Amino acid sequence: MKRVHGVLKPALGIVAAGGFVLALAASSATAASQTAIFAGGCFWCVESDFDSVDGVQSTVSGYIGGSVKNPTYKQVTRGGTGHYEAVSIEFDPDVVSYRMLVDLFFRSVDPTDAGGQFCDRGESYRTAIFVMDEAQRQAALASLEEAQTDLGRQIVTPVLDSTEFYRAEDYHQDYYLGQNHVITRFGIIKQADAYKRYRKSCGRDAKIQELWGTDSAFIQH
C-alpha cells in the first residue's frame, strides 16, 4: 500500500494526530510485524487514517465477523451476513505499539454509536476491535477504559476475537488515493476527490472533533 506523510514522530517520542498526544515507549529490540484489525465505519476512511501513521507498513480493507464465506460488498452492506467493514493493519511494533494504535482508533471514531458511523448506518458500519491474542485483548480493554473515562460517556465498541478476514474487492483498496474517474452525486470526478467529498459530506471529521475535541485523531479539513 502507498504511504503518506506520517503523524508519528519517533525521534521526539510522541505521536500527534489532530492534537492527540501520546508517549512513545522507546525500544531497541527488533520485532516481527504484527497485525491490528479495526472496524470503524467506512473502511476507506480507516485505511486513509492509519496509512498516515509511521510504523504502519500496510493496510487492507475487508470484511470480518460474519457467517458468510467470501462475502461481497453488496452482501455485506445489504445486511444479514454479520460482517463489519474493517481494516487489517500490519505494523512494526518497534515504531508504533498496538496500544497506541488502539488509542488512536478510539479517538478517530464515535465509539458511543451502536448503529453505525456518521452518515453510514447499519450493522456493517458498526465499530469493533478484533484481537489476535490475549495481549491485544488486554491492551484494547485498557485503552477502552481510558477512552471511556476521558470521554465521560459509555463506549459500545466491543473487543472481539478475530475471525477470518476477507479482503475486499480491489476497487476498495487505497480508494482515497485513486485517480480513476467515477460517477458520483457530485458529478464525474476523480476517485480521490470523490473520497474527500464523501468524507466531508458524511460529517466524519466534524463529529469526531465535536466528540473528542483536542484529543481528536486524523482530522482532515
Side-chain angles (χ1 to χ4, degrees):
M1 298 296 169
K2 296 181 180 177
R3 295 295 312 283
V4 293
H5 180 66
V7 296
L8 192 65
K9 306 182 185 301
L12 300 178
I14 62 172
V15 56
F20 180 47
V21 180
L22 294 168
L24 174 64
S27 173
S28 57
T30 299
S33 296
Q34 296 181 13
T35 301
I37 301 178
F38 301 142
C42 171
F43 46 26
W44 300 342
C45 298
V46 178
E47 190 176 20
S48 169
D49 288 344
F50 282 91
D51 270 347
S52 71
V53 178
D54 283 351
V56 169
Q57 299 167 327
S58 67
T59 56
V60 178
S61 289
Y63 315 113
I64 191 172
S67 58
V68 175
K69 291 186 178 296
N70 301 309
T72 66
Y73 179 71
K74 287 184 178 180
Q75 287 177 307
V76 171
T77 55
R78 186 169 57 236
T81 70
H83 288 93
Y84 295 73
E85 283 195 16
V87 174
S88 178
I89 302 164
E90 185 176 350
F91 66 97
D92 181 348
D94 281 343
V95 180
V96 61
S97 68
Y98 178 77
R99 170 61 190 270
M100 188 175 292
L101 293 176
V102 179
D103 288 344
L104 286 169
F105 168 73
F106 274 121
R107 290 157 181 83
S108 65
V109 296
D110 179 357
T112 70
D113 187 348
Q117 285 291 284
F118 318 109
C119 68
D120 293 318
R121 314 310 301 165
E123 65 178 13
S124 65
Y125 295 109
R126 295 168 296 164
T127 59
I129 297 169
F130 290 88
V131 297
M132 312 297 288
D133 54 33
E134 187 60 25
Q136 285 196 355
R137 181 188 306 282
Q138 293 305 315
L141 290 173
S143 179
L144 187 155
E145 183 176 352
E146 181 178 289
Q148 188 163 263
T149 298
D150 290 348
L151 194 57
R153 296 172 59 182
Q154 182 180 3
I155 286 177
V156 299
T157 302
V159 176
L160 305 172
D161 289 336
S162 182
T163 58
E164 188 164 3
F165 180 90
Y166 296 96
R167 188 181 190 276
E169 295 85 343
D170 287 346
Y171 69 90
H172 287 300
Q173 309 302 328
D174 285 326
Y175 189 91
Y176 73 101
L177 295 173
Q179 294 302 300
N180 293 329
H181 283 79
V182 293
I183 300 173
T184 73
R185 62 191 177 96
F186 308 109
I188 301 175
I189 56 178
K190 285 185 179 180
Q191 192 172 297
D193 294 330
Y195 166 75
K196 291 176 184 177
R197 294 197 186 190
Y198 153 75
R199 182 167 179 141
K200 183 175 182 179
S201 66
C202 198
R204 187 180 186 99
D205 296 300
K207 178 61 178 180
I208 291 169
Q209 200 155 34
E210 175 189 335
L211 189 66
W212 288 102
T214 57
D215 284 347
S216 302
F218 308 120
I219 296 299
Q220 297 182 16
H221 298 287

